């Protein structure tokens, strides 16, 4: 019962993900970080089958690093989103990855951005996005309370409202969540929302 969601504020982007590693009816782990830092100004939240998610996100992270190493400049968030979409599209015709991505980034020239990329290689630039069973509740809360000029405090408060709604309404709800932010100061972990210990 995974859940990953994100939103763009005035001068930042925020990504939230549950931290449970689940298989069938078993919870194997409750501190799995599903938001990968791609580089100093990019975050990638992923949901999907554990093996596909881990393999594909590491593959993307290493290729983004390789591009920067070879060329001396990092990929923009838009370029990284298109790279991810291209890799998913190529894999779709061979051995598809069951992974959905929310990519958040920040550039000095364009500011914050958020990209929705699903397992069939659909790519959209959005203000807010969500994947997983929790998306039904997160999207409805964001539809009601989101506005483009949100401050970090307002966005974290909205993320907390989404988390509370998921925990109270979803039958098998994930208990722990991690919140990460990317802005002019870089990509970083903001906080964890825990109800169970590690």
């Amino acid at each position: 019962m995974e859940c990953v969601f994100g939103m763009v504020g005035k001068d930042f982007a925020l990504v939230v993900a549950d931290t449970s590693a689940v298989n069938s009816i078993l919870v194997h782990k409750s501190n799995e970080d599903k938001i990968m830092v791609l580089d100093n100004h990019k975050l990638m939240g992923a949901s999907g089958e554990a093996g596909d998610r881990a393999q594909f996100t590491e593959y993307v992270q290493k290729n983004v690093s390789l591009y920067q190493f070879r060329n001396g400049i990092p990929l923009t968030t838009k370029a990284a989103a298109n790279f991810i979409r291209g890799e998913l599209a190529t894999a779709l015709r061979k051995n598809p990855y069951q992974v959905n991505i929310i990519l958040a980034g920040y550039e000095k020239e364009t500011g914050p951005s958020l990209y929705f990329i699903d397992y069939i290689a659909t790519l959209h630039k959005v203000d807010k996005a969500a994947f997983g069973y929790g998306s039904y509740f997160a999207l409805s809360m964001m539809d009601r309370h989101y506005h483009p000029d949100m401050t970090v405090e307002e966005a974290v408060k909205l993320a907390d409202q989404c988390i509370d709604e998921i925990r109270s309404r979803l039958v098998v709800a994930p208990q722990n969540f991690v919140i990460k932010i990317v802005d002019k100061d870089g990509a970083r972990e903001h906080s964890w929302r825990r109800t169970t210990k590690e």
Side-chain angles (χ1 to χ4, degrees):
M1 300 298 170
E2 290 188 308
C3 181
V4 178
F5 61 93
M7 63 191 92
V8 174
K10 187 175 182 180
D11 53 3
F12 68 94
L14 173 140
V15 181
V16 181
D18 75 283
T19 61
S20 53
V22 178
N23 183 24
S24 184
I25 60 170
L26 300 175
V27 177
H28 296 288
K29 196 174 170 186
S30 60
N31 62 348
E32 176 82 9
D33 190 352
K34 297 176 186 175
I35 306 172
M36 181 171 277
V37 177
L38 287 186
D39 65 22
N40 292 340
H41 288 87
K42 282 180 214 52
L43 293 171
M44 181 171 59
S47 70
E49 293 296 320
D52 283 356
R53 178 176 42 79
Q55 196 278 329
F56 186 73
T57 55
E58 286 177 13
Y59 172 78
V60 169
Q61 183 186 44
K62 301 310 178 203
N63 274 278
V64 167
S65 296
L66 178 63
Y67 179 90
Q68 184 171 357
F69 179 73
R70 282 182 174 168
N71 298 290
I73 57 168
L75 282 172
T76 64
T77 308
K78 183 177 181 179
N82 280 285
F83 169 74
I84 292 166
R85 193 212 70 79
E87 292 301 313
L88 286 171
T90 301
L92 189 61
R93 285 141 187 89
K94 296 176 183 173
N95 187 17
Y97 292 105
Q98 297 298 314
V99 63
N100 300 304
I101 304 285
I102 293 177
L103 179 68
Y106 184 91
E107 271 88 44
K108 290 178 185 174
E109 301 79 24
T110 57
S113 57
L114 189 74
Y115 290 88
F116 169 103
I117 311 161
D118 70 9
Y119 72 101
I120 54 173
T122 302
L123 169 65
H124 289 289
K125 184 177 180 185
V126 292
D127 290 331
K128 55 191 183 301
F131 283 114
Y133 284 111
S135 68
Y136 300 115
F137 309 111
L139 285 172
S140 61
M141 291 298 289
M142 288 190 287
D143 283 343
R144 177 78 176 104
H145 300 290
Y146 173 83
H147 61 87
D149 294 326
M150 294 183 92
T151 64
V152 171
E153 294 76 22
E154 289 173 326
V156 170
K157 182 180 176 185
L158 177 53
D160 285 336
Q161 289 175 316
C162 292
I163 291 168
D164 290 343
E165 198 68 17
I166 291 164
R167 285 177 176 161
S168 64
R169 304 280 300 275
L170 196 58
V171 173
V172 187
Q175 297 303 306
N176 299 339
F177 290 81
V178 61
I179 301 171
K180 292 189 180 183
I181 291 175
V182 59
D183 59 14
K184 63 179 171 41
D185 299 322
R188 64 194 179 280
E189 186 177 291
H190 180 274
S191 57
W192 285 67
R193 301 295 189 255
R194 290 187 171 97
T195 57
T196 59
K197 294 185 179 178
E198 298 170 12

